[in-house]
Amino acid sequence: MPNYTFVVNGKTVTVDAPADLPMLWALRDKLKVRGPKYGCGINVCKACTSHLDGEAFNPCVTPVSECAGREVTTIEGLADGDELHPVQEAWLEQDVAQCGYCQPGQIMAAVALLKKTKNPTDAEIDAIQNVCRCGTYFRIREAIKSAAAKM
């Protein structure tokens, strides 16, 4: 099998994997990065949302070969040491999580949105397609607005 080298959460890593292995499995099984969750495997639920070169992407449908030489950031790499990212802080302040399964992907999608849009409208926030089976969408929206105000 070929080797693929890329950066995950600031650290250069190399994995031995088939070219078509979904990046989610390289992260979870080979690198033990557990933040991105498996929900559907077909880019619908977006529980695995992470960042590839600073843009939101879904590693469940992205082959490891497409990530070679690039930078992957997961929820584990979002905080700066002990200092949480403003979106993570807002999530806690707004008590967003219920079961918590989708929250890493939700947070990573929110961070990507706020990188592009400093003061998103309700419609722009609602356009985030990450699924929350607990239905915390109102609190998600409030957390994104709170984080935007702080950023």
Side-chain angles (χ1 to χ4, degrees), residues 11-24:
K11 295 178 183 169
T12 301
V13 298
T14 300
V15 296
D16 181 28
D20 62 349
L21 180 73
M23 185 62 177
L24 180 62

Side-chain angles (χ1 to χ4, degrees), residues 15-135:
V15 296
D16 181 28
D20 62 349
L21 180 73
M23 185 62 177
L24 180 62
W25 301 122
L27 290 168
R28 291 185 60 81
D29 292 347
K30 294 189 175 284
L31 300 171
K32 307 303 181 204
V33 176
R34 304 300 174 138
K37 304 294 189 237
Y38 175 79
C40 67
I42 57 172
N43 197 24
V44 173
C45 76
K46 303 189 185 308
C48 64
T49 302
S50 299
H51 294 175
L52 183 60
D53 295 333
E55 300 282 327
F57 88 114
N58 295 97
C60 72
V61 293
T62 304
V64 67
S65 59
E66 285 186 26
C67 299
R70 300 175 76 184
E71 186 171 342
V72 175
T73 305
T74 68
I75 191 76
E76 290 89 347
L78 196 56
D80 184 10
D82 290 336
E83 186 176 329
L84 294 178
H85 186 280
V87 173
Q88 291 172 305
E89 290 177 353
W91 240 249
L92 293 172
E93 290 166 3
Q94 297 297 323
D95 197 25
V96 173
Q98 281 190 12
C99 83
Y101 194 82
C102 72
Q103 298 310 302
Q106 295 279 2
I107 290 169
M108 296 305 285
V111 169
L113 172 64
L114 292 173
K115 281 183 180 178
K116 293 180 181 179
T117 307
K118 295 200 184 294
N119 191 19
T121 64
D122 285 350
E124 289 168 320
I125 294 170
D126 292 345
I128 292 175
Q129 297 179 350
N130 293 57
V131 175
C132 174
R133 290 191 174 111
C134 297

